[in-house]
Amino acid sequence: MERIRPFGQLDDGTAVHAYRLGDGDGLCAQILDLGGILARLQLPVEGRRVDLVLGLADARAYFADPAYLGILVGRYGNRIGGAAFELDGRHHQLAANEGQHHLHGGLLGFGRRLWTVREHRPDALVLHYRSPDGEEGYPGNLEVTASYRLHPDRLDLRFEARTDAATPFNPTHHPYFNLAGDPAVPAAAQWLQVPAAGYLPVDAALIPTGEVAAVAGTPFDFHRAATLHANADPADPQLRAGGGYDHCLVLDPRHRYCAALYSPHSGVAMRIDCDAPALQLYGGHGLDTQHPGLGRGLCLEPQDYPDAPNRPAFPPAILRPGQAYRRDIGYRFAVPGRDRDWNAVAEALELP
């Protein structure tokens, strides 16, 4: 079985490779050294392999992708308002790549950089990237390791990092999930449960206002599993601001899991485990114009609060010299079967 294969070249001639994890009997993954991109994730179900994430054809397509499909996000996931912040009395101007604001690490971020492969085994891939002082406007030399580990029913991702100067740091992962494995099946038809106590309202530019609002009585309440179709209210001003769901949910710290997702079409369910304080929910509506024909997927991104460097009331997301950063994200899969009720899904995923 081919473990490493060419995945095309970038315009400057840089070769990109895809690294396979898994042996075909259980979960299988294909990860690129470009951006640490999760290009493919498949699970065997009823004699066929179901594609769980959306993917693109080759390296050039990923490098040009405005939707951040599958990338490792950094230095800072989500948005920093005005592409600037103050830290320890110094002003720092970041690359502005979404109007006047900074999104997902800037013009290239981590997702369009070539990572160094430190280790590759049938069940693991360890990637390393050195982000130099001043890259995208961030202070400090940052050493980052991203380790993928595959199990028969689970994919684990661990971020580790150190810096030689204080810097905002909020890495996350950006796969688009459609567990149906069929682009003709709407991603918004998946059932979603998120143990969120609140959410962060945003302005017209999708920058948090600074308020933490309760989810109760809003389209952002997924305590009870529901589809995005069922929960969405087209008249809701927050959904109108985002063109749909593109909001950060504040997680209940009593729960270890961030989200659970289920496709009644394929019978596949997923649980995301992480100790991050928040989860960005994006409905993938931008894909309709960015990648026509690809379909939609849901992004469920464990992270710190967006724009935290400019919001003293938000939990800080600053990494300082001498600190060892670590964040684990786990994607666990089960197959409770098609058209099951949520109790069966929760039992299969061992939800609390």
Side-chain angles (χ1 to χ4, degrees):
M1 185 176 296
E2 192 176 27
R3 292 288 177 188
I4 306 173
R5 69 177 185 88
F7 202 77
Q9 293 184 341
L10 304 182
D11 288 344
D12 64 1
T14 299
V16 175
H17 292 86
Y19 294 79
R20 181 184 175 91
L21 303 183
D23 58 10
D25 292 334
L27 197 63
C28 287
Q30 182 175 273
I31 299 159
L32 308 185
D33 48 14
L34 175 67
I37 290 168
L38 179 63
R40 176 166 285 183
L41 187 64
Q42 294 182 320
L43 185 70
V45 181
E46 298 178 348
R48 68 186 184 99
R49 301 201 66 81
V50 174
D51 285 302
L52 306 174
V53 300
L54 305 186
L56 302 176
D58 55 32
R60 280 190 173 92
Y62 276 111
F63 192 85
D65 169 35
Y68 307 96
L69 267 82
I71 71 165
L72 301 177
V73 182
R75 290 188 191 188
Y76 205 93
N78 218 315
R79 294 170 174 89
I80 295 179
F85 62 92
E86 303 281 336
L87 179 59
D88 298 337
R90 293 187 59 187
H91 178 83
H92 297 273
Q93 189 67 47
L94 300 173
N97 63 316
E98 190 182 55
Q100 63 180 348
H101 307 294
H102 181 85
L103 174 64
H104 290 333
L107 300 173
L108 296 179
F110 287 176
R112 293 183 178 90
R113 312 276 182 180
L114 200 70
W115 291 57
T116 300
V117 175
R118 289 279 179 87
E119 183 179 354
H120 179 215
R121 303 195 311 270
D123 64 346
L125 181 68
V126 179
L127 301 168
H128 177 265
Y129 180 66
R130 184 180 188 274
S131 177
D133 179 44
E135 184 174 79
E136 306 280 5
Y138 288 98
N141 296 295
L142 183 73
E143 302 282 346
V144 186
T145 299
S147 304
Y148 285 99
R149 183 175 292 275
L150 191 78
H151 306 267
D153 63 350
R154 192 173 79 248
L155 178 66
D156 293 333
L157 170 61
R158 173 173 293 176
F159 287 105
E160 296 173 286
R162 292 184 180 272
T163 182
D164 62 8
T167 184
F169 189 56
N170 176 27
T172 188
H173 194 208
H174 209 286
Y176 285 74
F177 291 100
N178 187 343
L179 305 183
D182 182 348
V185 178
Q190 299 173 103
W191 288 78
L192 175 66
Q193 186 178 63
V194 181
Y199 77 99
L200 304 183
V202 296
D203 62 19
L206 301 182
I207 305 300
T209 63
E211 176 190 4
V212 179
V215 298
T218 76
F220 304 97
D221 188 350
F222 288 94
H223 278 100
R224 290 192 174 187
T227 67
L228 268 62
H229 278 322
N231 259 26
D233 176 1
D236 182 86
Q238 280 295 302
L239 292 184
R240 295 180 68 178
Y245 285 97
D246 194 359
H247 292 77
C248 195
L249 307 181
V250 177
L251 297 169
D252 185 335
R254 293 174 298 176
H255 292 283
R256 171 68 180 177
Y257 84 103
C258 291
L261 192 66
Y262 168 63
S263 169
H265 178 86
S266 67
V268 176
M270 176 184 71
R271 165 180 170 161
I272 302 179
D273 294 311
C274 188
D275 62 355
L279 179 86
Q280 184 76 10
L281 167 61
Y282 174 48
H285 40 275
L287 295 175
D288 296 350
T289 54
Q290 293 163 334
H291 297 289
L294 186 63
R296 291 188 186 181
L298 299 190
C299 293
L300 302 165
E301 309 158 50
Q303 59 186 251
D304 291 286
Y305 290 20
D307 203 33
N310 292 316
R311 304 284 177 178
F314 285 178
I318 304 297
L319 181 63
R320 295 186 177 275
Q323 294 178 333
Y325 181 93
R326 173 176 155 178
R327 173 157 290 162
D328 293 310
I329 303 173
Y331 305 98
R332 178 181 173 183
F333 296 90
V335 187
R338 299 181 185 184
D339 297 316
R340 303 300 300 275
D341 63 30
W342 189 255
N343 288 334
V345 174
E347 182 179 358
L349 293 174
E350 298 181 356
L351 297 180

